[in-house]
Amino acid sequence: MAVTRCTKMAYASADDMVFGKAVTPVKTGLELEIGAGYTTPEVNYAPRPEAGASKEKLIKEYERITTDIMARMVQIGAPAVVLETEHVQQMSNHPDWGAAVAHAQKTIMEDYHDEYGIKCALRHTIGDIRETRDFLALRGDKYSVFMEAFEQCAQNGADMLAVESMGGKEVFDYAILRNDMAGVLYGIGVLGSIDMEMIWQDIASVAKKNNVIASGDTDCAQANTAMFIAGGLLDKNLAHTLAIIARTISAARSLVAYEAGAAGPGKDCGYENTIVKSIAGVPIAQEGKTSTCAHSDLMGNIVMQCCDLWSNESVEYHGEFGGTTVQCWGETLAYDCALMNVALDSGNEKILRDMFVASDIYRDAQGYVLAYPNAYRVGQAIATDGNDIYLRAKNAAIECINIVEEGAKGKLELSRFEAKALADAKAAFEALTDDKEKFMSDCLTKYKQEVKVFKPENYDL
Amino acid sequence: MEVRHLIDIDPSGILVRYNVKMEKEMTPEEAAEELYPKDSIIYPIAKAIFEGEEDDVVEGLEKAISSGKDPISLIDDALMVGMGVVTKLYDEGIIFLPNVMMSADAMLEGIEYVKQKAGRAPVVKGKVVCHVAEGDVHDIGKNIVAALLRANGYDVVDLGRDVPVDEVIAAVEKENPLMLTGTALMTTTMYAFKEVNDKLLEKGYKIPFACGGGAVNQDFVSQYELGVYGEEAADAPKIADFIREHGGNIVKLREKFHKH
């Protein structure tokens, strides 16, 4: 598949963006449409620790999970649901395991669809297994196993293929713990984009061949790592202003999947997805207040603003008073979607969208930048130099800094520490060259020396 | 100009920015200045550690050695003093983790330099074996734990990531550490901790096994006999210090470090 760079915005204005509607909706699964005028819950889960002991145990666990979710959706009258199976490493390392799980799940979903007419689709997110104990091995022997996992899942029931790819993480991990902005830009924006360009052309080909949807990637391994380390208001591990810079750079990276043939929906944990939607027009999944089972963040409501699927990120499967965890969280998601869908049907979607935004926008610099009018601005900065993976990522970071600075002159309060980290980052980005080749060459030399696990051959460098 | 949003709100009624409210009056540099040793030879080394300036650390050590200081003694008397300033201000919430990581890098560079000068290895506070669970390649948490332990004067045997259970056991047998740490991101990989625990017990090793990361929670860690849950990476050196002071009694460690 060819790569077609995004150099224009999919939306004429930020205000055109809303939840439940995308410029290019996606038809998938059993009568489901995503981004076609309604939102749908996407339930995500992890098996219990002991379930990974054998293939049979894992299949049984996913059968229980799938049945529980479908049964609860029918019990509460939810019109549609998406199930996302994020592979545990055993399933991607043994493609036949993942395929067997997909087949078992889809069989149950088909039964529910036949009996009740519930619209549904199954997303399988393959684990990025391209690592040895010591190094990322993005282009080595494991690549064929990685691609085989996509192929077998596509052949056995998965309607959508996704991944959270790891390209660039070795440099990013080193850089983010040292406030090294050039390293963050190089890891996410350049190395990550190079890797995604390779894998997403192949994933899109697999999807096309099997008549399923190549859905998307997130920068979970990097931007979410930054968000997780940054933590809450009182945590002292990373400035939130740096976490949002990493996030905006990640939008330039996550966009590559769509440039290489993916159609969406983007994955739930990609908090950069509002930016990506503004450029690519694809539907997106998001998570926020309904992913507190998996992690805490400062953007519980605001990320609902433009979602097409609404997800709980991941919950370990076990019992609660209200049923199993997947039933409880699935039900919560479904009620959130019902509210959004009423807003859409009654023409009140922009009011609800703006209430989601207003409730969180001043909570933190991260939410402030991801508020759709600001996210749109970051999108424009990326599209302006859409043909240059370095410049567009740098543009995103600089526009992010501009937006936070503007916010800090208004109602967005920054701690002195966050403000200083932002000022230091600004100086770092302003000192960077506009010449991609020079940046690449300088970084190659520096990080080969400083990051022992960085292997340039992973990126064909 | 701030973007005008469709609904204009007064955020003060919706949220409290506790981090802004709680921020200390003193800048990190001012706070550090109060803690540096006054000795004119030691001061620049401690300051260079705080600032994470590796070249300045080595330059300060060169001058100290030229003035007659014993190289190895400079580890405790200068490098660890500087690192003490860093960890104190980190614990107090005045500086952030990247500052600690950069200072730790500078300190390790300094230790390498004095080892070369002295031609022998320094005495350390104790040995800790660190690993990421079998099947799991996510190691940023383990790297933070290892850096913080080293910054606090511990000798870290870093087994890396995706470490087979038997390799963990072999390392404990070989190194005789005061504690073992394990990190994991996924629910299915953290099950390896229980296997490590069971094999250690089989072989009669009753050392504390500090676990944390991603999906790991206190309930899970409490299920196996040697498990001590660390909610944050910064708990690792505190657990190690507690073991040095009070021994490796798991019940006492859980009383101290289990928070829920």
Side-chain angles (χ1 to χ4, degrees):
Chain A
M1 305 276 292
V3 174
T4 308
R5 295 288 179 212
C6 292
T7 54
K8 289 181 181 153
M9 302 298 282
Y11 290 85
S13 77
D15 189 48
D16 294 343
M17 296 171 65
V18 70
F19 50 77
K21 290 180 183 171
V23 172
T24 51
V26 168
K27 284 188 183 178
T28 184
L30 303 166
E31 293 186 271
L32 186 75
E33 279 194 79
I34 302 170
Y38 59 95
T39 63
T40 300
E42 179 171 32
V43 190
N44 194 337
Y45 31 75
R48 285 168 287 194
E50 60 272 28
S54 71
K55 183 179 177 182
E56 290 69 31
K57 274 192 169 183
L58 259 186
I59 294 170
K60 197 54 108 183
E61 184 88 337
Y62 282 108
E63 283 177 340
R64 287 195 193 102
I65 288 169
T66 305
T67 304
D68 283 358
I69 295 167
M70 297 307 296
R72 180 61 63 94
M73 290 301 110
V74 170
Q75 289 284 12
I76 63 165
V81 67
V82 171
L83 272 64
E84 186 192 1
T85 299
E86 285 190 350
H87 281 204
V88 295
Q89 55 91 11
Q90 294 93 326
M91 288 160 65
S92 301
N93 278 318
H94 306 284
D96 61 309
W97 288 35
V101 168
H103 176 72
Q105 290 190 280
K106 193 61 177 294
T107 302
I108 295 164
M109 294 169 77
E110 283 169 344
D111 287 347
Y112 272 89
H113 177 259
D114 288 349
E115 190 162 356
Y116 301 102
I118 184 169
K119 298 172 193 168
C120 54
L122 176 64
R123 168 148 45 188
H124 265 231
T125 299
I126 311 304
D128 193 341
I129 52 171
R130 299 171 299 155
E131 292 198 80
T132 65
R133 264 192 68 180
D134 298 321
F135 299 103
L136 282 175
L138 302 176
R139 292 171 188 245
D141 295 341
K142 282 200 164 182
Y143 192 70
S144 56
V145 180
F146 182 53
M147 280 301 142
E148 180 65 16
F150 287 99
E151 183 85 45
Q152 289 209 24
C153 285
Q155 288 171 3
N156 286 280
D159 301 302
M160 293 179 274
L161 303 177
V163 70
E164 294 172 358
S165 61
M166 303 279 272
K169 185 167 172 59
E170 71 284 64
V171 171
F172 168 82
D173 278 358
Y174 175 85
I176 195 68
L177 294 177
R178 289 164 179 79
N179 287 346
D180 173 0
M181 290 296 102
V184 169
L185 182 59
Y186 187 55
I188 300 176
V190 176
L191 300 179
S193 296
I194 291 172
D195 180 50
M196 279 187 66
E197 191 172 319
M198 174 180 75
I199 66 170
W200 275 97
Q201 290 179 78
D202 288 342
I203 297 168
S205 293
V206 169
K208 191 175 178 190
K209 189 172 82 180
N210 292 287
N211 198 26
V212 301
I213 299 292
S215 61
D217 201 333
T218 74
D219 193 43
C220 184
Q222 299 174 96
N224 288 5
T225 296
M227 181 179 75
F228 189 77
I229 295 173
L233 294 179
L234 299 186
D235 287 319
K236 297 288 178 185
N237 288 330
L238 181 71
H240 294 192
T241 42
L242 298 191
I244 187 58
I245 291 171
R247 177 68 65 191
T248 52
I249 295 171
S250 80
R253 179 190 192 273
S254 293
L255 185 64
V256 174
Y258 310 104
E259 295 176 324
K267 257 187 60 59
D268 53 353
C269 63
Y271 285 72
E272 66 274 20
N273 277 347
T274 306
I275 302 168
V276 174
K277 186 173 183 174
S278 75
I279 308 166
V282 293
I284 58 172
Q286 290 282 245
E287 65 189 43
K289 66 178 181 179
T290 44
S291 63
T292 51
C293 50
H295 62 83
S296 172
D297 62 58
L298 292 161
M299 294 168 278
N301 293 328
I302 201 167
V303 282
M304 291 175 89
Q305 60 189 345
C306 297
C307 76
D308 300 285
L309 298 179
W310 183 232
S311 159
N312 66 307
E313 156 73 298
S314 188
V315 66
E316 186 192 278
Y317 182 60
H318 58 244
E320 298 284 2
F321 286 153
T324 58
T325 50
V326 291
Q327 293 180 310
C328 299
W329 289 93
E331 185 169 337
T332 303
L333 294 169
Y335 281 114
D336 281 342
C337 288
L339 179 61
M340 288 188 275
N341 292 341
V342 167
L344 282 160
D345 278 352
S346 61
N348 289 309
E349 66 270 25
K350 289 188 177 178
I351 295 170
L352 183 57
R353 175 196 66 187
D354 291 349
M355 289 169 75
F356 288 143
V357 172
S359 72
D360 282 345
I361 187 165
Y362 300 115
R363 198 169 300 280
D364 183 63
Q366 297 175 90
Y368 189 82
V369 174
L370 294 177
Y372 69 90
N374 291 332
Y376 188 88
R377 284 177 56 187
V378 177
Q380 287 176 307
I382 291 170
T384 299
D385 284 305
N387 283 314
D388 185 324
I389 57 168
Y390 163 60
L391 272 186
R392 72 189 202 178
K394 183 181 166 206
N395 290 356
I398 290 171
E399 188 66 1
C400 169
I401 293 166
N402 292 338
I403 291 167
V404 178
E405 283 184 339
E406 290 166 16
K409 289 176 190 160
K411 293 176 183 174
L412 176 67
E413 285 188 282
L414 294 183
S415 69
R416 191 179 51 217
F417 177 81
E418 287 170 336
K420 182 174 185 309
L422 186 74
D424 290 348
K426 184 179 184 181
F429 282 107
E430 284 178 348
L432 290 177
T433 175
D434 279 342
D435 181 346
K436 179 185 168 194
E437 296 313 317
K438 178 166 176 16
F439 179 78
M440 297 282 284
S441 166
D442 290 351
C443 286
L444 189 64
T445 306
K446 177 178 162 67
Y447 296 108
K448 257 171 74 177
Q449 192 180 346
E450 293 185 12
V451 184
K452 290 191 184 98
V453 293
F454 172 42
K455 298 280 180 194
E457 56 267 36
N458 272 325
Y459 307 95
D460 205 17
L461 294 174
Chain B
M1 175 78 69
E2 187 180 10
V3 170
R4 189 177 169 278
H5 298 286
L6 296 176
I7 301 175
D8 194 24
I9 57 148
D10 171 10
S12 66
I14 296 167
L15 69 105
V16 183
R17 288 297 303 268
Y18 292 104
N19 53 338
V20 177
K21 271 178 65 179
M22 300 288 289
E23 197 157 47
K24 301 274 190 297
E25 285 301 311
M26 210 178 268
T27 67
E29 289 72 22
E30 289 165 351
E33 201 64 50
E34 290 200 344
L35 296 171
Y36 293 141
K38 305 298 172 213
D39 183 317
S40 63
I41 292 175
I42 306 298
Y43 171 86
I45 301 172
K47 188 167 190 240
I49 290 281
F50 178 80
E51 291 169 348
E53 295 289 348
E54 298 174 4
D55 294 345
D56 292 348
V57 169
V58 171
E59 191 183 316
L61 291 169
E62 270 175 1
K63 283 183 184 163
I65 293 166
S66 309
S67 73
K69 296 271 187 192
D70 168 48
I72 289 292
S73 72
L74 286 169
I75 293 178
D76 281 344
D77 297 345
L79 297 175
M80 290 305 294
V81 171
M83 209 60 221
V85 173
V86 174
T87 51
K88 183 171 177 10
L89 295 184
Y90 175 60
D91 282 346
E92 290 178 3
I94 294 171
I95 61 169
F96 278 44
L97 182 64
N99 304 92
V100 182
M101 298 295 289
M102 288 185 281
S103 295
D105 286 349
M107 187 191 73
L108 291 176
E109 186 99 355
I111 289 175
E112 279 308 306
Y113 177 77
V114 294
K115 272 164 68 178
Q116 279 174 18
K117 283 283 168 190
R120 61 192 164 92
V123 177
V124 294
K125 278 167 82 176
K127 194 176 275 185
V128 180
V129 171
C130 297
H131 85 290
V132 180
E134 184 167 4
D136 200 326
V137 292
H138 302 88
D139 60 0
I140 191 168
K142 182 267 296 169
N143 292 341
I144 296 170
V145 164
L148 293 178
L149 283 164
R150 288 187 177 119
N152 281 274
Y154 289 93
D155 181 15
V156 173
V157 179
D158 185 350
L159 302 181
R161 57 194 191 179
D162 187 12
V163 186
V165 169
D166 289 338
E167 199 174 309
V168 179
I169 308 301
V172 169
E173 288 183 303
K174 179 178 171 219
E175 305 290 349
N176 191 27
L178 66 89
M179 78 171 188
L180 169 68
T181 78
T183 52
L185 184 71
M186 312 298 291
T187 54
T188 47
T189 56
M190 70 190 193
Y191 199 60
F193 293 156
K194 186 162 182 337
E195 292 179 38
V196 168
N197 172 85
D198 294 350
K199 287 203 173 177
L200 284 174
L201 288 176
E202 260 175 42
K203 290 180 177 271
Y205 291 100
K206 288 212 164 186
I207 64 162
F209 181 19
C211 298
V216 181
N217 59 55
Q218 186 178 299
D219 284 350
F220 180 75
V221 175
S222 301
Q223 286 171 24
Y224 42 90
E225 194 175 325
L226 302 174
V228 179
Y229 177 62
E231 191 160 270
E232 300 172 1
D235 288 338
K238 290 173 189 161
I239 294 172
D241 286 347
F242 189 88
I243 295 168
R244 269 169 55 87
E245 210 168 315
H246 304 284
N249 183 305
I250 307 295
V251 175
K252 282 188 182 167
L253 280 162
R254 287 181 177 178
E255 277 172 13
K256 174 79 178 166
F257 291 99
H258 284 200
K259 293 169 181 168
H260 308 294

